[in-house]
Amino acid sequence: MCGIVGYIGPKQAYPILLSGLKRLEYRGYDSAGIALLNGKNRIYKCKGKVSDLEKYVIGKDISGTVGIGHTRWATHGEPNDVNAHPHVSMNGIFTIIHNGIIENYSRLKKRLIDRGYTFKSDTDTEILVNLIEYIYLKGQVSAEIAVRLALTKVIGAFGILVTCTEEPDMIIAARKGSPLVVGVGDGEYFFASDATPIVEHTNRVVYLNDNDVAVVHREEITFKTIMNVKITPKIQKLDLDIGEIEKGGFDHFMLKEIFEQPRAIEDTFRGRISRNPFEIHLGGLYHIMDKLINAKRIIIIGCGTSWHAGLVGEYLFEELARIPVEVEYASEFRYRNPVILSDDVIIAISQSGETADTLAAIKLAKEQGATVIGICNVVGSSIPRLTHAGVYTHAGPEIGVASTKAFTAQVTVLSMMAMLLGHERKTISDKNYQILVEELVNIPAKIEQILKESNKIKQIAELYKNSNNCLYLGRGYLFPVALEGALKLKEISYIHAEGYPAAEMKHGPIALIDEHMPVFVIAAKDKSYDKIVSNIQEVKARKGIVIAIVSEGDTVIRKLADHVMEVPLADESLAPLLAVIPLQLLSYYIAVLRGCNVDQPRNLAKSVTVE
Ligand code: G6P
């Protein structure tokens, strides 16, 4: 949450900052702002999106070769012009942009008020910038020392960029708990919350670790810790193509990402599945494979869509590898004093690799001796750096706030892990292993088939775009898909939607069913097929509208349901990878027809780096 960018070098900073902010807007879009240093410090900021900022600066002086920019997801203080970043210290010496939360802000604020400081905004960030200035003036120290000392007083999370009018050829960057990447160019440096704004300028980056500070002058960069211990930076080469982070002819990133899924899944298993015979290789797990094979229990943690992928993982691991699995919201796990044993394996799932609750849950599990595996999409993000082992999903950058290809890529990784583990533990036969891996390899082509039917899904979206409530039902492997379908709809179209295990309908949601209630039933051919047919009959008996996702060739449900969307046949353990596609498309089309901002739904952010 919150995107931060910065530039120092020979070029004009404004265009670089602006295009960077546009790339980071998925992280938050409550307000946007920039600060440019050119003799004097100029701040332009306003409520709304980066496009509003762009209009706001028309006709203003945007020159300057040092600058910082911010796009905000509000935590402290409502989204308005005053609370927008950057924030400037009371005497105008320091300017800051910040991603994170200062938890002890009220104590620090009181101390500063006692020392004569006044505040304009309701943000915690303004307290930090004034604390830096107070230390700078009072201690007669350099800007760098003032920043580092101030950060030792802060409890909470931060990714910050700071400029100082009295040392104008410098940007100071620091992080703790919120991501920050420094791009190393030719006599120029770039800063951003993730690598996407940097890749068009340089492919050499340094990912800051917690408590790292980068002090960047025009032609020189120094890395140290907040406690002033020098660090030798690890410069990494970005393996990211600019085309991957552009819309590529699609109207929205979300649509592009839905259509990218065949390719994304192939990238997920590229180099990890060999043929004749089929075999799965997960290099990132080799060194902990014994732990995994002998695990007494697997606990899967995640948030949002990643948690839904985890639920699919539970069904997969229990069925194929016969290991008991629990799936937990990271936010609950970290605070409820869970029993974690040293032979537990924790699997943390996260697209961004930065979700604050998931990170905290991992730290807790590690402290208690468990082995932690990460399944993440963003290479170099915090979670892969914190876990003992991991498997990247390699789905490519996901920009649309509502997760789509990350989900199917996560489920692909979980499927590979469960198949491999089942084979190693001999809970599935060699023959079944071969069949399952081959089925997985065939999934991308089957998704292509579903995507070809997108026009039919659009027609159904037209019919139900004005619904106020929707119910999603599924059983077995398709229950998590019901949850994910409902989440997609509410996230981007603001229609209230609930996902339920189909059999639970009669314990409550059935009371809601009438002739106005669309009920999406995910009913591919599997062992609960007959049961879900009965559930459909129960809905129809109460005049509910049934839109069913069925396996191709289905004739029984076709007769009962108001509409059907077909998906190709697949082994039931892989059915989620297919059944979720029409639901993603349906939510997308409904949201577009309702005029919603699909890629940037209100109040949400892609990467939730605050708890
Ligand atoms: C936010 C995003 C969701 C995502 C969730 C978990 O809520 O809007 O799309 O599923 O965070 O994010 P992660 O990066 O940990 O998968």
Side-chain angles (χ1 to χ4, degrees), residues 469 509-519 539 542-545:
N469 298 288
I510 200 162
L512 299 168
I513 292 173
D514 61 15
E515 65 275 28
H516 306 296
M517 174 70 110
V519 182
V539 175
R542 281 144 190 100
K543 300 195 169 40
I545 307 156

Side-chain angles (χ1 to χ4, degrees), residues 1 26 29 301-308 348-359 375-378 383 398 400-404 406 410 484 487-488 491 601 604-609:
M1 9 216 48
Y26 70 86
Y29 28 85
I301 50 174
C303 302
T305 291
S306 296
W307 182 76
H308 292 159
I349 307 178
S350 173
Q351 187 287 129
S352 62
E354 298 292 350
T355 300
D357 282 322
T358 311
L359 272 166
I375 298 180
C376 295
N377 195 38
V378 178
I383 292 176
E398 190 181 66
V401 165
S403 190
T404 52
Q410 289 162 348
E484 178 59 10
L487 178 65
K488 286 290 88 81
E491 273 181 315
L604 295 176
K606 181 82 189 150
S607 174
V608 181
T609 53

Side-chain angles (χ1 to χ4, degrees), residues 303-374:
C303 302
T305 291
S306 296
W307 182 76
H308 292 159
L311 286 179
V312 180
E314 176 179 21
Y315 287 87
L316 284 162
F317 284 116
E318 294 211 340
E319 177 159 336
L320 302 182
R322 308 304 296 155
I323 301 176
V325 179
E326 287 167 29
V327 187
E328 295 236 25
Y329 287 114
S331 54
E332 288 298 313
F333 182 78
R334 64 179 287 197
Y335 282 121
R336 69 167 183 79
N337 197 11
V339 177
I340 305 169
L341 306 171
S342 58
D343 47 13
D344 282 340
V345 171
I346 313 289
I347 302 178
I349 307 178
S350 173
Q351 187 287 129
S352 62
E354 298 292 350
T355 300
D357 282 322
T358 311
L359 272 166
I362 291 169
K363 285 179 190 154
L364 176 78
K366 276 179 79 179
E367 273 159 28
Q368 304 203 11
T371 303
V372 186
I373 296 172

